[in-house]
Amino acid sequence: MGRILAVALATTAWGFAPQLQHARRTAAFAAKQEPHGGTLVDLFVSEEAAKEAAIASCDKEIELTERQSCDVELICNGGFSPLTGFMDEEAYASVVNSMALPDGLMFSLPVVFDTDDETIEAGAKLLLKQHDLPVATFEVTSKYVPDKPLECKQLYGTSSLEHPGVQMVAMERGKYYLGGHVVGLNKPVREFPCETPTEVRERLPEGVDIVAFQCRNPVHRAHYELFTRALDAPNVGDDGVVLVHPTCGPTQPGDIPGNVRYKTYEVLKEETANPRVYWAYLPYSMHMAGPREAIQHMMIRKNFGCTHFIIGRDMAGCKSSIDGEDFYGAYEAQDFAIENGPALGVQAVPSLNLVYTAEEGYITAEDAKDKGYDSLKLSGTKFRAMLRGGEDIPEWFAFKSVVEVLRQAA
């Protein structure tokens, strides 16, 4: 506790140490989980007079990209605790090279604000906006040119433009990164509601294991079986519950849009009505960084109160845009999460390799092989073709309610 208090009182220029006026320890810590770094950050200003004064103090307006708006929201609501702003060059380099903040606290992907604006310098105070909505103020303390090839090599394991994350860093992000402190004014407006870590914690049952399930696609039957059976894992308590926490921000080209994914989750939540399954939505932009991103997801869910995290096959993985080859091994992220979970303070729950059989429904692939059962398969490509063609989708593969939403959006 002494270290946490000392850090909270410190003043830094790289947006890690929580400033006392902007960070608070909340009583709404459901489950057993402490926030990452010990303090759940809340940077939002609630009083209108304070908002107006903050806006008036800014000397330049910046229109946020969709990715930037996700990062700003997670900084302000505490999803990226212990950050209180965008990383300066020291913090950026530390995370890129050692997967930790300068004080040694694990943090796997840098949180940076990019720009091509030559006029912005350290000392500027920016008003970050979503169209006409003031979202946050950003007091710039540093401006630097990142080492993008090294960043990509360290984070993604490659600097090839065949990787969507490398494309994002090299071709979407600006020439400069800015570091500094952020103050939240308003949550970005989205088609899906994104609760803060405090709000999610308030809904979760107290004193039990909270098992997080991350996804970026609609939930089909196999996914549902996977995360409900995770409650039977040997390292999960008897009264544990699942928090299904999909990312609804930008992902990679070809993925289903976030607003459509949100609608599939809502109808599935109503259709299943499982009292041991909780739902919330995360304004996070995917990097497709495989093992590194698995750790980032675990850290974020830790801040939302989760004690466990389901690591699926090829989590946050992606394929080459040229030859379709996978950038990561099927269980690379899983092994990395199991290795680093204890230091992070989150237990990894390896996902079961489930297949559907006519004889027993969903069972593990190992059981199916031992019993000589054939597994039924339906590829994503075939599924999408059947959707477009109006064909019936087998109920063993997908929920009817989810299929209907996808048909309407096709």
Side-chain angles (χ1 to χ4, degrees), residues 61-73 86 113-114 127-131 133-136 138 186 188 190:
E61 294 184 1
I62 299 289
E63 175 71 20
L64 292 167
T65 67
E66 191 174 0
R67 287 185 181 275
Q68 288 171 341
S69 75
C70 290
D71 288 343
V72 169
E73 185 167 358
F86 289 99
F113 192 94
D114 66 289
L127 180 61
L128 307 181
K129 300 184 73 175
Q130 181 194 46
H131 308 305
L133 178 69
V135 173
F138 177 21
N186 297 288
R190 308 185 189 283

Side-chain angles (χ1 to χ4, degrees), residues 132-146:
D132 293 330
L133 178 69
V135 173
T137 63
F138 177 21
E139 187 175 350
V140 179
T141 59
S142 67
K143 180 180 185 179
Y144 55 99
V145 178

